[in-house]
Amino acid sequence: MEKSSSISNKSSNKNVGVKTLNTQPLPGKKLAKNTSLQMNRRFTKVGMNPLDAVQYVKANSKIKDTDGQSVFEMKDVEVPAGWSQLA
């Protein structure tokens, strides 16, 4: 009894039906040299460090698993005053 092969002869061109994408950038308006994106200040003040605007307190953080065993603990960490470990 002869076994029939379910494997067909492989084509020498492996990329049949494969489309090549155009990787060239789209044409656009050329910018003058030394141009930059301008942004207006929204949430900070000139000359003030944004981190100084937040009030910090020292806290302890402890996470326990369902059996009550500690899986994470951090003592005396400075966190924002409004921070909640449950959030």
Side-chain angles (χ1 to χ4, degrees), residues 3-77:
K3 290 184 179 179
S4 63
S5 175
S6 62
I7 301 173
S8 60
N9 291 338
K10 292 183 179 179
S11 171
S12 61
N13 186 358
K14 293 181 181 180
N15 294 327
V16 174
V18 175
K19 293 183 180 180
T20 303
L21 297 175
N22 182 5
T23 58
Q24 297 298 318
L26 296 173
K29 181 179 177 183
K30 297 207 178 211
L31 297 175
K33 287 186 178 183
N34 298 327
T35 58
S36 61
L37 180 63
Q38 299 295 317
M39 300 180 119
N40 295 326
R41 186 178 295 270
R42 299 254 183 220
F43 303 107
T44 60
K45 295 179 182 176
V46 176
M48 183 178 175
N49 183 340
L51 296 177
D52 292 339
V54 179
Q55 182 182 4
Y56 293 92
V57 294
K58 285 195 176 190
N60 297 324
S61 177
K62 189 172 196 177
I63 300 173
K64 297 180 182 181
D65 63 11
T66 55
D67 296 328
Q69 298 292 321
S70 179
V71 293
F72 175 83
E73 184 174 4
M74 188 181 297
K75 293 182 178 180
D76 295 329
V77 62

